[in-house]
């Protein structure tokens, strides 16, 4: 037999006498992709001076690239091309290669390796890199009496098996390949290329089930079949026919497939015999820690035979990472080096089809994002799985043009485009306009105010020259505002370039022609402390504007804290009477209930008040409070007094509520005290006015029972005292998972970061711009730089600014219940209408 | 032949000027009818029907400027000048209102 990478005959190696060699003894069992790479890594770190290295290899060959066996089988590569390290290389580096010598067992007490040739080799450090072997599923007749495989049956794992198959192709005509994974498909394709008729039998319901989801697998099946390979899915072979040589296989459903060549590529199993015989801990593979150490301190395992944190890898990249880390550790280059797991990404051509696979193939958690583009006719199937705004998996079949970007995003956590579809396809910039043009005229654009595309086009045709005018005329986008960008697109399309530049679009409020930063500067410069003063000084002709007042009030409170001069008429009715106006002009009363935690006494008081004032409906809110709905304005002050509880701010453009779960005090899954942190957050930030409402939540574990992932600020306990802080989440008209701003290690750090974020948002967001628009507009990276790295030197000011707002907090109920802020503050606005008109439950 | 509509108007004292805070509105009953009276920050007085024609919203709880009144429920805006809606929906009725020795006088 020809030895691959053999040393020319006659060459000899010189050995030092063991006793005279002061170097440590390093023995590697396994000369495959992992073992040989490990030796290379050791040599690269100068380990040749530290260690006498012995390598045992089961195969007689030098070290070759096992991944390249498929092209060899296909006749596309020659054997010599796949040699990585010939025997010479070992000799030149002073390595004692025992090629073709199988190791029987290790005496870990005596620290000796016993090999099949009877040799005993002592070691100081032992590395197991025994790899895997082809798994042959139990089938009647597959083995001869002596346990060897029936003639004509081959695994597909070694160069010898590959050679045997290549030799067989000249006399065989029909092949059955067992296994529809990567190796099986490649074997099938290669054999078919040699002119054999090939049938593929796969026990699972779709091809490459370990890497692809069902849909992608189905598309791959079509592509494989179009090559002329017959595919049988979801069926096992139970029997191999033939007395001397294989003649066929019988499937479980009784079908018989004739063949004179059978390739078994039904998966691999880690080679763990040596480890088991040597008393090392073996589960699915040899169990190692983060330094690749087995339960014996001087024995290590790397590559496919190692099981690290429950994972056994079948790809070369992790094996090579193992090799690096272990070389760092053993040579002392980095004694603290550790291996924490691999993110595996592969790009390959399987059976002529481009495939790239990384991470998971399907969503695993409820909140995983999953995007799929499937074009079965073109044989294209693309999908991505996103978790916490990071790419955790991608599958590209038939079209791998986006693989470079995706690999980067996967490996390095590169930021993902907001429009996830851009991960998979390149959208042309004209796409949005085309979409708008194709919308039928009667399709509803603004659901709040019932405005159709036709209404918007009509307003443009009727002379409205700007988006703002169209919105004023039609009231489109004046409800929840979630359609504003669509309205803008339609107006632009309808105006077809005739649109006037709308400078008002950049104004903080329509009545004062300034963007927010300029407006804040002017307010400070002119020392404007009331809304009427702002209009008098900064508005054109000093003219006030009803629609601007609320935003200006909020801004002045932000700039001046309790030094602003309040003007009731500049407030929206909700803020004037501290309740949320209902459809009939009544109000809702929501007492503060920090963190959603209440007491029997509180509930009793709420019940008594609800009965006394004949409250039409008592409802538990989404924010974990109790809402008393349908209250007459004139009853408000007395109700507040009877309740004796502070306002829950369920009406304002302000911090509203902090939802919590029961956390570690009660929940058996709780990792930390989310309830207390929620209460503390609500206490600190209660009532703080902001450009739009702020909802928060704190959860005690990632099960997210209080929905922290979809809050303006969401805090998630992740254990060991650490908390994740998410910002920009929403679950209203817009649904958006928050972006992970930072993971911090104390409740105090959560409070500081939350305050900083709130103040940054208060100072920079447009009026009514929720955090779910603000965060993507500004960009998470920038927010991180400003808040976490203090890149703009703002943090001290932000901290001071939020503290000013906290100091300015007064409970409005306690304040106005005692004495009205203005005459007739709580007088009925519809005295002749019997309220409530809302239904009484 | 022509018909001449005969209209009679009556003046009602509904309250004191200081009953309506600057920039705000308050509702009074005059001659059995609800009337919302507004005192703007420029000192001018305006009076309108009390309920919004759109959905019955309490107009006295709305926000104002020198040109319009905005209903608090759905932000429909109405001009002081003639009660017309800025968005082309049904108008509101506006009434004459003036101050006499500190009293608010609405003419219906």
């Amino acid at each position: 037999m020809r030895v691959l990478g053999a040393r020319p005959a006659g060459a000899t190696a010189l050995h030092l006498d063991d006793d005279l060699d002061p170097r440590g003894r390093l023995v590697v069992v396994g000369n495959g992709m992992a073992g040989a790479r490990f030796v290379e890594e050791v040599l690269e770190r100068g380990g040749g001076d530290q260690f006498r290295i012995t390598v045992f290899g089961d195969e007689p060959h030098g070290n070759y690239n096992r991944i390249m066996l498929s092209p060899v089988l296909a006749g596309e590569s020659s054997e010599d091309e796949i040699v990585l390290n010939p025997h010479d290389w070992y000799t030149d580096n002073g390595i004692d290669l025992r090629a073709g010598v199988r190791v029987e067992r290790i005496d870990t007490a005596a620290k000796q390796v016993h090999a099949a040739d009877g040799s005993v080799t002592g070691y100081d450090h032992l590395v197991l890199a025994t790899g895997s072997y082809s798994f042959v599923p139990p089938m009647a007749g597959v083995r001869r009496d002596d346990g060897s495989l029936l003639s004509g049956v081959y695994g597909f794992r070694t160069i010898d098996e590959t050679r045997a198959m290549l030799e067989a192709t000249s006399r065989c005509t029909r092949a059955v390949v067992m296994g529809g994974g990567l190796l099986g498909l490649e074997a099938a394709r290669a054999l078919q290329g040699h002119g054999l008729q090939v049938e593929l039998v796969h026990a699972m319901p779709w091809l490459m089930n370990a890497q692809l989801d069902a849909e992608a697998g189905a598309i791959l099946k079509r592509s494989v079949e179009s090559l002329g390979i017959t595919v049988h899915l979801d069926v096992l072979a139970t029997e191999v026919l033939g007395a001397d040589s294989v003649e066929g296989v019988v499937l479980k459903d009784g079908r018989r497939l004739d063949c004179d060549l059978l390739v078994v590529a039904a998966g691999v199993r880690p080679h763990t015999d040596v480890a088991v015989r040597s008393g090392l801990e073996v589960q699915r593979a040899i169990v190692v820690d983060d330094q690749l150490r087995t339960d014996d301190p001087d024995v290590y395992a790397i590559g496919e035979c190692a099981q690290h944190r429950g994972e056994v890898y079948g790809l070369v990249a992790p094996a090579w990472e193992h090799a690096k880390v272990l070389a760092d550790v053993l040579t002392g280059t980095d004694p603290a080096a550790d291996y924490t797991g691999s993110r595996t990404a592969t790009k390959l051509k399987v059976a002529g089809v481009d495939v790239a696979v990384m991470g998971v193939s399907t969503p695993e958690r409820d909140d995983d994002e999953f995007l799929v583009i499937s074009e079965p006719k073109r044989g294209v199937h693309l999908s991505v799985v996103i978790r916490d705004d990071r790419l955790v998996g991608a599958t590209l079949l038939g079209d791998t043009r986006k693989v470079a970007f995706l690999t980067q995003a996967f490996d390095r956590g590169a930021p993902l485009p907001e429009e996830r579809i851009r991960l998979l396809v390149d959208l042309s910039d004209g796409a949005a306009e085309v979409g708008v043009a194709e919308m039928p005229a009667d399709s509803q654009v603004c659901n709040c105010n019932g405005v159709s595309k036709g209404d918007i086009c009509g307003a443009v045709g009727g002379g409205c020259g700007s988006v703002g005018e169209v919105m004023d005329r039609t009231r489109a986008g004046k409800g929840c505002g979630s359609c504003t960008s669509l309205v803008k697109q339609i107006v632009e399309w309808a105006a077809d370039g005739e649109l006037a530049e709308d400078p008002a679009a950049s104004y903080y409020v329509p009545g004062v022609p300034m963007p927010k930063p300029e407006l804040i500067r002017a307010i400070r410069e002119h020392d404007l402390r009331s809304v009427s003063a702002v209009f008098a000084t900064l508005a054109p002709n000093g003219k006030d504007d009803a629609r601007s007042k609320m935003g200006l009030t909020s801004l002045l409170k932000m700039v001046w804290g309790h030094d602003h001069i309040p003007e009731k008429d500049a407030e929206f009715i909700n803020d004037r009477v501290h309740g949320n106006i209902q459809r009939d002009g009544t109000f809702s009363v929501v007492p503060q209930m920090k963190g959603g935690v209440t007491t029997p006494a509180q509930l009793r008081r709420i019940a008594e008040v609800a009965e006394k004032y004949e409250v039409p409906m008592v409802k538990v809110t989404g924010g974990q409070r109790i809402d008393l709905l349908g209250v007459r304005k004139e009853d408000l002050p007395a109700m507040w007094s009877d309740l004796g509880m502070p306002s829950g701010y369920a009406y304002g453009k302000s911090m509203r509520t902090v939802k919590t779960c029961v956390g570690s005090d009660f929940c058996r899954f709780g990792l930390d005290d989310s309830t207390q942190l929620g209460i503390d957050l609500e206490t600190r930030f209660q009532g703080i006015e902001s450009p739009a409402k702020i909802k928060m939540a704190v959860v005690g574990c990632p099960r997210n029972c209080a929905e922290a992932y979809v809050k303006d600020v969401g805090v998630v306990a992740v254990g060991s005292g650490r908390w994740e802080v998410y910002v920009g989440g929403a679950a209203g008209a817009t649904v958006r998972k928050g972006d992970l701003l930072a993971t911090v290690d104390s409740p105090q750090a959560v409070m500081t970061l939350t305050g900083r974020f709130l103040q940054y948002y208060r100072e920079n967001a447009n009026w009514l711009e929720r955090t779910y628009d603000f965060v993507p507009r500004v960009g998470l990276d920038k927010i991180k730089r400003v808040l976490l790295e203090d890149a703009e030197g703002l943090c001290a000011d932000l901290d001071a600014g939020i503290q000013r707002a906290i100091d300015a907090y007064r409970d409005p109920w306690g304040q106005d219940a005692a004495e009205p802020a203005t005459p007739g503050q709580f007088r009925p606005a519809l005295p002749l209408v019997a309220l409530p008109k809302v239904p009484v439950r | 032949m022509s018909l001449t509509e005969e209209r009679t108007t009556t003046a009602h004292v509904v309250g004191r000027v200081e009953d309506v805070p600057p920039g705000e509105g308050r509702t009074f009953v005059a001659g059995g009818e609800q009337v919302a009276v507004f005192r703007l920050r420029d000192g001018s007085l305006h009076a309108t029907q009390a309920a919004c024609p759109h959905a019955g919203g309490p107009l006295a709880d709305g926000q104002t400027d020198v040109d319009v009144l905005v209903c608090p429920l759905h932000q429909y805006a109405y001009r002081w000048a003639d009660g017309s809606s800025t968005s082309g929906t049904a108008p509101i009725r506006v009434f004459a209102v003036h101050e006499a020795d500190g009293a608010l006088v609405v003419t219906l």
Side-chain angles (χ1 to χ4, degrees), chain A residues 446 449-479 487 491 502 547, chain B residues 74-79 84-90:
Chain A
C446 173
N449 290 322
V451 185
S452 69
K453 178 191 167 190
D455 297 336
I456 293 171
C457 296
V460 174
C464 289
S466 71
V467 177
E469 279 181 57
V470 171
M471 288 172 62
D472 282 343
R473 172 79 60 87
T474 62
R475 299 174 57 261
K478 297 272 183 178
V487 172
V491 171
D502 192 359
R547 297 181 190 279
Chain B
H74 303 98
Q75 280 72 49
Y76 280 85
Y78 302 96
R79 298 183 182 92
S84 63
S85 151
T86 59
S87 49
T89 56

Side-chain angles (χ1 to χ4, degrees), chain A residues 27-105:
Chain A
V27 174
V28 181
V29 181
N31 189 32
M33 308 279 296
R37 172 58 75 98
F38 166 69
V39 173
E40 285 178 28
E41 298 284 352
V42 168
L43 294 176
E44 236 171 64
R45 288 162 177 74
D49 298 331
Q50 282 174 268
F51 299 113
R52 266 180 289 162
I53 303 173
T54 303
V55 177
F56 287 89
D58 201 3
E59 298 180 63
H61 312 287
N63 167 239
Y64 61 90
N65 188 343
R66 206 178 295 282
I67 300 166
M68 296 293 284
L69 289 176
S70 294
V72 171
L73 181 61
E76 292 159 1
S77 297
S78 75
E79 283 189 2
D80 293 332
E81 282 174 72
I82 70 167
V83 173
L84 295 173
N85 296 306
H87 283 219
D88 258 352
W89 177 83
Y90 293 86
T91 318
D92 294 348
N93 286 290
I95 295 160
D96 180 13
L97 174 64
R98 312 270 184 91
V101 178
R102 177 179 289 244
V103 169
E104 300 279 39
R105 68 180 177 87

Side-chain angles (χ1 to χ4, degrees), chain A residues 543 549 633 827 829 832, chain B residues 27 34 41 61 64-65 67:
Chain A
K543 202 162 163 258
K549 290 183 173 181
K633 202 203 293 180
R827 259 186 39 195
L832 300 185
Chain B
T27 308
Q34 306 180 117
R41 283 196 174 260
D61 287 340
T64 65
D65 60 33
D67 294 325

Side-chain angles (χ1 to χ4, degrees), chain A residues 565-632:
Chain A
I565 299 170
E567 289 177 343
K568 274 284 169 190
D569 62 308
E571 294 178 352
F572 184 55
I573 185 63
N574 285 5
D575 299 307
R576 288 188 205 166
V577 303
H578 318 300
N580 198 350
I581 192 165
Q582 306 295 303
R583 57 180 304 151
D584 63 347
T586 59
F587 291 85
S588 82
V589 170
V590 180
Q592 187 178 60
M593 204 167 268
K594 288 174 184 172
V597 177
T598 183
T599 61
Q602 222 173 40
L603 292 172
R604 204 171 286 124
R605 222 172 320 143
I606 291 170
E608 280 162 6
V609 166
E611 281 180 350
K612 175 173 172 186
Y613 295 91
E614 297 174 328
V615 169
M617 179 153 79
V618 182
K619 186 171 187 317
V620 175
T621 71
Q624 299 185 344
R625 291 106 61 98
I626 291 176
D627 196 347
L628 307 173
L629 288 139
V631 177
R632 288 179 290 267

